[in-house]
Amino acid sequence: MAFKTGQNKKHKINDKFGIATLSEKLFCDGVLNCANYGLILKSAKSLANYRLAREVVRSMPKYELLTNTAETVGKSRTIFGSGDHLGPLQEQNDTSRKLREMVEVVSVAQRINEIQGTGEMYAYMATLTRPNTAKGNLKETFSNARSRVSRLVRALSDAVDNGGSFQLVGGNYLGAMASHELTLNKAVLAVDGVRGLYNDHTHLIILADHKLDVNATADVIYNKWQSLNKDFQLARGAFDFREAYTTRIEDSELDVVMSAVIESMKYAVKPSTWNQLDKTETSQYQREVFAEIYNSLARAKRKVSYGILYDAKSFLTKFSSFENAMAMSMSTKFPDVVTQLVELNRQNDGRFASRHVRELSGDEVLYYNRGLIESVLVSDEMDADINDYLDNELAKSTTDGKKRLYFELFKSMAFVKSVDELLERMDSF
């Protein structure tokens, strides 16, 4: 299980651990209580995992985490969560993995744009809202909203290909990333209400090849979104469209794009949402709300890539055997490596205090970071393997254009071939 404090460092790793484990316990309680009333269907074996996680995740007096030197990233040597991908612990772990993947996706997307386009890439953030959804209607409206967002993005893509009227103002559409999220209206929840309970919305990152006229493009996108939601009364004030930015002045446009796409990888359901549903043992209303959220989102695709980002993700998926080697060839920073053992002790107030135990040995560093560093170095033999693998995979591709693109992408990668070269790369990071 992975834990990360984030750039603002509002919470230290021990705080993040305490928040996540409390949310996991409440999540397990909710699943078990809903299952007892037949609102969530689980096998007996699966329910045993939730029972075990509920007991273990907050009951032990101390836990051990492996962390980096700054204690901003950590992971547990023991898996004690439910393993449910909607659960706070597993979703945090999934998000950590996806963040690293998206860094690679943006890097490949930039290279695709250099090969096929202008080489410039700018990010814009749109918040696509809808009227709040009533209790009992979430699954239908959440699915329907995802379909409408896909139609919006598809219209942007079609306009580029066919010269349609739905165009960004000032530049051409390159790709997009949609993140579908859900929160609860606290006021409605507090009175066991029905109407307007769920705030389901979408954050959409749009990539363009030139800087856009923000105000004019905002009107274009809002008008299209309104036309796709004629059955709803949308509030213009709730819609937002702005240029992506970072707080560091020295960041490049690619850094800004990277930051915007990573920001879109947030939770679909925040742990705080599960925390609001802390009475599922006694409240039939809360059980119904918990089960509706769970059943509506359990199999829903909540993060969707389009255009140049989809092409980049497809490339990385096709050649995933060489993921670490490719990641190192494209990275602008070395991945966070765990180097020490930290003990977290549970206090009387339920929070955790951290204590440094020891530095990891060299063999332990290699073992616990193996997922990051395995096959990072590309020997001459592996270089030949990549070319053979590439030839075999390209033989399965359907278009000559894709074959040329993949060849060009691999040609642009500066693989690290020795330990000395790796150390030099780390120094430059």
Side-chain angles (χ1 to χ4, degrees), residues 61-293:
K62 64 181 180 181
Y63 300 79
E64 289 185 340
L65 282 188
L66 304 165
T67 77
N68 61 344
T69 304
E71 291 191 24
T72 57
V73 172
K75 62 182 180 181
S76 171
R77 292 191 293 182
T78 305
I79 297 175
F80 45 77
S82 63
D84 191 311
H85 289 282
L86 277 179
L89 286 182
Q90 187 61 48
E91 185 162 11
Q92 183 162 293
N93 199 58
D94 293 344
T95 299
S96 177
R97 175 180 52 80
K98 289 174 183 175
L99 288 178
R100 180 171 179 246
E101 177 187 290
M102 289 314 300
V103 169
E104 298 167 25
V105 166
V106 173
S107 298
V108 172
Q110 173 63 20
R111 295 184 185 214
I112 292 175
N113 194 35
E114 290 168 355
I115 294 167
Q116 297 184 332
T118 64
E120 296 179 303
M121 201 157 64
Y122 301 90
Y124 296 82
M125 301 181 292
T127 301
L128 305 176
T129 59
R130 301 167 290 277
N132 279 15
T133 300
K135 178 175 175 287
N137 297 332
L138 180 61
K139 188 168 187 175
E140 179 182 355
T141 56
F142 193 77
S143 176
N144 187 269
R146 287 185 293 119
S147 174
R148 296 182 195 202
V149 171
S150 291
R151 286 166 59 194
L152 175 87
V153 177
R154 191 160 54 245
L156 275 172
S157 178
D158 289 345
V160 172
D161 295 337
N162 306 319
S165 59
F166 181 40
Q167 299 273 2
L168 304 176
V169 182
N172 293 315
Y173 161 83
L174 292 175
M177 164 73 72
S179 174
H180 303 282
E181 299 177 20
L182 174 73
T183 57
L184 291 172
N185 185 315
K186 293 181 181 179
V188 177
L189 182 69
V191 296
D192 292 3
V194 172
R195 187 175 179 180
L197 175 63
Y198 302 114
N199 173 21
D200 52 308
H201 56 281
T202 302
H203 294 292
L204 183 68
I205 305 299
I206 296 176
L207 303 184
D209 65 352
H210 288 89
K211 280 191 173 289
L212 303 178
D213 182 321
V214 173
N215 291 330
T217 301
D219 289 339
V220 168
I221 292 178
Y222 176 76
N223 290 338
K224 184 66 175 180
W225 184 237
Q226 176 70 80
S227 73
L228 293 171
N229 293 274
K230 291 179 179 178
D231 48 336
F232 291 144
Q233 184 62 46
L234 299 182
R236 181 64 174 85
F239 171 83
D240 185 58
F241 182 81
R242 65 182 66 187
E243 186 173 1
Y245 64 92
T246 68
T247 56
R248 294 175 297 194
I249 299 174
E250 69 276 11
D251 279 351
S252 67
E253 286 296 341
L254 183 58
D255 292 325
V256 175
V257 172
M258 196 84 73
S259 178
V261 172
I262 288 174
E263 180 67 15
S264 72
M265 300 305 295
K266 295 182 296 186
Y267 296 108
V269 182
K270 295 180 180 178
S272 58
T273 299
W274 299 122
N275 293 357
Q276 293 170 16
L277 301 171
D278 58 353
K279 299 179 179 63
T280 56
E281 185 175 4
T282 57
S283 168
Q284 176 66 11
Y285 172 82
Q286 284 210 5
R287 285 193 291 269
E288 291 172 355
V289 172
F290 187 104
E292 184 172 17
I293 296 174

Side-chain angles (χ1 to χ4, degrees), residues 328 334 366 373 376-379 415-427:
M328 182 56 64
F334 198 75
L366 291 174
I373 61 180
V376 162
L377 299 182
V378 176
S379 64
F415 291 117
V416 180
K417 296 195 173 184
S418 70
V419 173
D420 288 342
E421 192 179 343
L422 178 61
L423 293 175
E424 288 179 13
R425 186 75 63 89
M426 290 172 64
D427 285 340

Side-chain angles (χ1 to χ4, degrees), residues 397-415:
S397 297
T398 56
T399 66
D400 289 336
K402 271 284 178 65
K403 294 178 184 180
R404 288 192 297 271
L405 174 61
Y406 288 173
F407 271 123
E408 290 296 322
L409 285 171
F410 270 101
K411 278 168 55 180
S412 71
M413 293 182 185
F415 291 117

